Amino acid sequence: MSITEIESYRLSRRGFLNAAALGAASIAVSACATTGPAPVQPPPPTYVEPPLADYASMYAAVSDGGFDLPAIPFDRIDPQFLRQIVPDPTGQKPGTIVVDTTGHFLYLVRPGGQAIRYGVGLGRAGFEWSGDAVVQWKQKWPKWTPPDEMVARQPELKQYSADNGGMPGGLKNPLGARALYLFQGNVDTLYRLHGSPEWKSIGKSVSSGCVRLINQDIIDLYDRVPSKTPVIVTSDASQPMAAAATANHKAIPIDAGVPDGSVLLGPVKAVTNAIF
């Protein structure tokens, strides 16, 4: 073998060894990359309740079902009783309604530890009800039929008794623009979540065993909750199970029962706003 051939062989062998070394290093690097920890995935975003409209928009005059609801003078209402998003104090599942009879609040529990809070008017002493129920029926501009016990106390209501067909839905109807009918099992509790034309009663205890909301608020709540929504009425929203202690405390009924074929029947003559 000539010197030239020997040198050529040495160069070729050196190149082969260098290439092999580079290949081994590349494999080692690749092995490190494939056996290292997987990229850390960011946690899923926390649910944030969409913001509500401003109060002027929420409580503006509105035409609904053939009726013209007047604007609510929200600046004359304690701000805590206006519709707002708050941290959920109840710990209940999203979709649950919790009525806090001490604070005069209704909470609609939302995801992400939030709740929409509405101010409510409640039954005066001796008329309250508490316990667990479900929204078994919903009605827009409901007919109101005062029970016989109420007619006996207030004879002027006889014209709206069951025998006389009840009071048609309308601006002066005590059940307001919407009513959610609460049942325990298949039994009507005769207890209602409903609207009221008496915005001044929100945050107070003035009515006979019902939970009344500003008409604009009950319309908003009605649109957010389906039938079968669970409802807890309690004296302490942070401990809703306290309702169980008084679950048998029945209210003096404000309604004779779910009316058959309740429909929008048109406006009614003016009657007192303080029926119950």
Side-chain angles (χ1 to χ4, degrees):
M1 181 180 292
S2 67
I3 294 176
T4 302
E5 291 175 349
I6 293 172
E7 290 296 328
S8 176
Y9 169 79
R10 288 176 177 174
L11 289 174
S12 297
R13 185 171 183 274
R14 187 180 299 116
F16 170 79
L17 293 175
N18 288 341
L22 288 173
S26 176
I27 292 172
V29 171
S30 176
C32 289
T34 57
T35 60
V40 177
Q41 297 295 325
T46 301
Y47 176 86
V48 177
E49 185 69 19
L52 301 176
D54 60 273
Y55 289 141
S57 299
M58 282 195 286
Y59 295 112
V62 59
S63 294
D64 180 87
F67 297 100
D68 294 325
L69 287 168
I72 302 298
F74 61 89
D75 55 341
R76 297 172 60 186
I77 300 174
D78 187 329
Q80 68 176 320
F81 297 121
L82 299 176
R83 190 191 325 163
Q84 56 197 279
I85 298 171
V86 299
D88 170 41
T90 73
Q92 297 298 307
K93 293 181 179 179
T96 304
I97 292 173
V98 178
V99 178
D100 180 349
T101 60
T102 299
H104 290 81
F105 297 126
L106 183 151
Y107 296 92
L108 175 60
V109 181
R110 304 294 288 169
Q114 300 172 297
I116 300 176
R117 190 178 75 189
Y118 307 82
V120 299
L122 295 166
R124 58 184 179 267
F127 287 71
E128 299 91 340
W129 178 90
S130 60
D132 299 344
V134 295
V135 176
Q136 189 80 358
W137 201 59
K138 299 166 57 178
Q139 187 67 29
K140 297 181 179 181
W141 294 102
K143 179 193 298 184
W144 176 59
T145 308
D148 292 341
E149 301 97 314
M150 185 173 288
V151 173
R153 296 196 311 270
Q154 298 175 262
E156 69 275 14
L157 298 180
K158 186 176 181 179
Q159 61 180 315
Y160 304 120
S161 67
D163 291 340
N164 291 318
M167 178 189 287
L171 295 175
K172 295 297 184 179
N173 187 302
L175 292 181
R178 303 285 190 276
L180 309 180
Y181 294 72
L182 304 189
F183 281 62
Q184 289 179 321
N186 293 321
V187 179
D188 186 356
T189 65
L190 307 181
Y191 201 75
R192 312 288 183 244
L193 309 180
H194 65 90
S196 173
E198 294 187 286
W199 58 266
K200 292 181 180 180
S201 69
I202 302 305
K204 301 176 182 178
S205 297
V206 294
S207 61
S208 303
C210 57
V211 177
R212 57 168 66 179
L213 292 81
I214 295 171
N215 273 322
Q216 280 84 338
D217 281 346
I218 193 64
I219 291 174
D220 181 80
L221 179 65
Y222 182 101
D223 291 340
R224 292 179 186 272
V225 300
S227 294
K228 306 297 184 181
T229 292
V231 179
I232 300 172
V233 181
T234 177
S235 60
D236 187 350
S238 64
Q239 298 180 356
M241 294 308 295
T246 54
N248 293 322
H249 187 187
K250 301 300 183 182
I252 293 177
I254 63 159
D255 191 80
V258 173
D260 294 332
S262 180
V263 295
L264 176 63
L265 298 176
V268 299
K269 296 179 180 179
V271 295
T272 174
N273 285 344
I275 290 177
F276 61 90

